[in-house]
Amino acid sequence: IIYQHREAIKTKISFVKCVILFVGLNIVRLLIILNRQGHDYSYTNILYWYSFLGLICALCIIFACMFLINDNKESKINRVICWLSSYTFGIYIVHMLVVIMLDRYSISKLEYVTGKIGGAIGEYFYTIVMILLVFAISLCIIIVVKIIKELALKIVNKR
């Protein structure tokens, strides 16, 4: 529905507004968690991910991506987004298994990832590294599964 009305949305908001709103809402979410939990907060907190503010942040990312996509042009960003979009559902399905695997082998330990970086900067660095790591591993798994599926279909169709 959002994508169908993208042109109307693009006239009312801008990429910069989406980014500013995203950053601002994340600061508000962080302040709420600090207020409720003190400095023993965690990004695994349900208020951080599954709240109304989290939903609005996700919409900000969707709107910002709509500004990056140019329907009239065959650009690199369009090709990358279209290529990645064919894998996103599989990444969604697999990512929690990857998170559990990383946790099981202590790869996701904060100290292991951030080294001597501490405090809020260490938390942000940890979050960025873990998001990229989980995404990359999940993407690789889905690509391998897709290749295996295509090979299996070729074998079955030859019979």
Side-chain angles (χ1 to χ4, degrees), residues 74-128:
E74 186 61 29
S75 66
K76 285 184 181 181
I77 192 77
N78 283 2
R79 287 193 301 267
V80 169
I81 289 173
C82 290
W83 179 78
L84 276 176
S85 68
S86 66
Y87 294 103
T88 54
F89 183 68
I91 292 169
Y92 169 73
I93 296 295
V94 170
H95 87 280
M96 278 312 294
L97 297 172
V98 173
V99 170
I100 292 167
M101 180 192 72
L102 291 174
D103 191 46
R104 180 175 182 173
Y105 294 106
S106 299
I107 295 171
S108 63
K109 296 280 188 230
L110 179 63
E111 301 80 28
Y112 183 78
V113 175
T114 61
K116 296 182 181 188
I117 302 171
I121 294 172
E123 285 276 343
Y124 286 121
F125 179 73
Y126 169 80
T127 302
I128 291 167

Side-chain angles (χ1 to χ4, degrees), residues 36-91:
R36 290 182 174 226
Q37 294 184 341
H39 291 285
D40 295 327
Y41 69 90
S42 169
Y43 290 111
T44 59
N45 185 304
I46 196 163
L47 287 175
Y48 188 80
W49 296 108
Y50 303 108
S51 66
F52 180 70
L53 295 176
L55 177 65
I56 295 173
C57 285
L59 286 172
C60 288
I61 292 171
I62 290 170
F63 293 150
C65 287
M66 284 190 327
F67 286 101
L68 295 176
I69 298 172
N70 185 350
D71 293 334
N72 302 329
K73 237 180 177 181
E74 186 61 29
S75 66
K76 285 184 181 181
I77 192 77
N78 283 2
R79 287 193 301 267
V80 169
I81 289 173
C82 290
W83 179 78
L84 276 176
S85 68
S86 66
Y87 294 103
T88 54
F89 183 68
I91 292 169

Side-chain angles (χ1 to χ4, degrees), residues 8-31:
I9 293 170
K10 284 181 179 182
T11 61
K12 294 181 181 167
I13 58 174
S14 68
F15 178 79
V16 174
K17 286 180 185 175
C18 290
V19 172
I20 291 170
L21 185 60
F22 177 79
V23 170
L25 286 174
N26 276 302
I27 291 171
V28 169
R29 289 196 306 174
L30 179 64
L31 292 174

